[in-house]
Amino acid sequence: MARSSRSNDWGFPRWRGYGSERGAAKVRMCDRHGCDQPGDRPAPKSPNSPGRWYFCEEHAAEYNRNWNYFEGLNAEEAAAREAKERREASGYADSKHYAWGGPGDGTRSRDEMRALAVLDLESDADFDAIKAAWRRLAKANHPDVKPDDAEAATRFQAIQAAFEVLRKAEERRAA
């Protein structure tokens, strides 16, 4: 039987999509010895090197845990490199408030802004003002003070939730 000289890849109509191949898809395996998972997460072999290892998710996490960015540098060189990189990346810190679109100066998240609105505070309120407003509103709307008022109970729950959001945000900032 004569072999066909025509290819299914040329002319119209196309029998397969652009970029598809006849053979099996090539899957790169994890570079960790003994691993049989696909290696789809590249990692540098050394600092400033174009060479890459390709790991599965588990071994990429292990690699990143053990990665020492300042390896081979003494304390002064490491501090100088860190200071230089902070200077060069300061534009990212200055523009971080564009990550969310809302009022304020960008130091608070959208949830924090909503919580401040529940407590009737401005966006620049400090944590002492937040605590004072929370105490004042909680005392005024507590179910023990207004036992038969369902709206007061709902307001009290909203006040408690708002304070929790702001308290956790303050703890994150302090850490």
Side-chain angles (χ1 to χ4, degrees):
M1 176 169 186
R3 187 167 177 210
S4 173
S5 62
R6 285 188 57 99
S7 167
N8 289 338
D9 292 335
W10 187 252
F12 291 95
R14 288 185 63 86
W15 299 109
R16 287 192 300 279
Y18 288 99
S20 63
E21 297 179 13
R22 286 181 178 213
K26 296 178 182 124
V27 176
R28 184 175 178 121
M29 301 308 285
C30 179
D31 285 334
R32 179 70 184 264
H33 179 70
C35 183
D36 61 350
Q37 298 296 316
D40 54 356
R41 287 158 176 83
K45 288 187 175 182
S46 64
N48 303 322
S49 168
R52 298 279 184 256
W53 297 108
Y54 288 87
F55 294 119
C56 62
E57 185 174 1
E58 178 185 348
H59 293 123
E62 177 185 333
Y63 176 85
N64 288 334
R65 270 194 307 273
N66 297 327
W67 179 264
N68 182 2
Y69 185 70
F70 299 108
E71 186 176 2
L73 301 176
N74 61 29
E76 291 175 2
E77 292 171 336
R81 179 184 279 182
E82 182 180 4
K84 176 181 174 250
E85 290 180 3
R86 285 189 189 276
R87 269 194 317 274
E88 291 174 354
S90 65
Y92 295 110
D94 292 344
S95 65
K96 70 181 176 186
H97 65 278
Y98 292 118
W100 61 282
D105 61 355
T107 58
R108 295 191 187 271
S109 71
R110 185 173 287 144
D111 290 335
E112 293 173 67
M113 296 299 285
R114 286 189 195 118
L116 288 169
V118 168
L119 297 176
D120 296 327
L121 293 172
E122 296 294 321
S123 63
D124 60 346
D126 62 342
F127 195 67
D128 293 331
I130 292 169
K131 277 199 284 190
W134 168 68
R135 287 176 192 254
R136 176 178 47 81
L137 292 170
K139 284 180 183 178
N141 294 294
H142 198 278
D144 291 343
V145 175
K146 298 182 178 182
D148 295 331
D149 191 359
E151 290 181 16
T154 305
R155 282 194 304 268
F156 180 75
Q157 290 175 347
I159 291 164
Q160 290 296 102
F163 180 71
E164 283 299 310
V165 166
L166 294 167
R167 184 182 61 80
K168 288 180 182 176
E170 185 66 23
E171 287 175 359
R172 281 194 305 269
R173 283 190 191 93

